[in-house]
Amino acid sequence: MNRSGSRIDHLNLAVPDLAAAVAFYEPVLASIGITKMLEIPPNATPNQPTAMTGFGLADVKPYFWLIDGGTVGTNMHLAFTVDSREDVSTFYRAALAAGASSLLAPGVRPEYHAGYYGGFVLDPHGINLEAVCHHG
C-alpha cells in the first residue's frame, strides 16, 4: 500500500525560545535532508509580530515553521516520513545528540501496520518527534 500522500502544506509550531529550537532542529532535520530555508524577522508583516524560521526540502519550499514566543501545546506529536529504516535510526541518533530524550527506540510498530518502523524522541520543548519509514 502506498502511504506517501499528504494534504498538509505547512505546519507552524510555536516555541518559547526560537533560537534554542532552531539550534536543536537544524542538525536533527538535516540528518534526514530537511534544511533551514528562511528566517523571517519580527514585524516583517503587519500580521506576523514574531520571528519565524522555516525548514523544508532544498529548492522546494519551507513547510515546517518554528514561531517565536509561543507555548507548546499538550500531547504535541510530529512525525517525519523518511525513505529507509536506517534514516529512522539516523534521525533518532541526531535528535539524542542534539538534546532530545528517548521515548521509543527505532523499531517495528505493528499496531499501526506491518511495515511501520519508527523511532520517537521528546524534543527540549516537550514535543514528541518521530521519524517513520512505511516499508521494510
Side-chain angles (χ1 to χ4, degrees):
M1 174 182 289
N2 182 352
R3 299 181 187 273
S4 63
S6 176
R7 294 283 185 184
I8 297 172
D9 185 73
H10 60 276
L11 172 71
N12 293 357
L13 285 184
V15 294
D17 182 341
L18 181 61
V22 169
F24 171 80
Y25 278 95
E26 193 165 8
V28 173
L29 296 179
S31 77
I32 57 172
I34 299 171
T35 61
K36 182 170 69 172
M37 297 181 69
L38 193 56
E39 294 178 291
I40 298 178
N43 300 309
T45 67
N47 295 326
Q48 187 62 49
T50 60
M52 304 169 50
T53 300
F55 294 84
L57 297 176
D59 300 323
V60 179
K61 68 173 185 172
Y63 54 82
F64 174 63
W65 290 88
L66 297 171
I67 312 298
D68 196 23
T71 302
V72 174
T74 59
N75 202 25
M76 176 75 65
H77 175 66
L78 176 59
F80 293 95
T81 302
V82 295
D83 295 326
S84 71
R85 291 181 174 193
E86 181 55 38
D87 290 342
V88 171
S89 295
T90 298
F91 174 90
Y92 180 82
R93 288 189 306 269
L96 294 179
S101 56
S102 176
L103 290 175
L104 287 170
V108 176
R109 310 286 176 227
E111 62 272 25
Y112 302 127
H113 65 75
Y116 197 108
Y117 188 89
F120 299 76
V121 298
L122 194 64
D123 88 350
H125 287 108
I127 299 168
N128 176 342
L129 299 176
E130 173 188 6
V132 59
C133 176
H134 290 284
H135 53 274

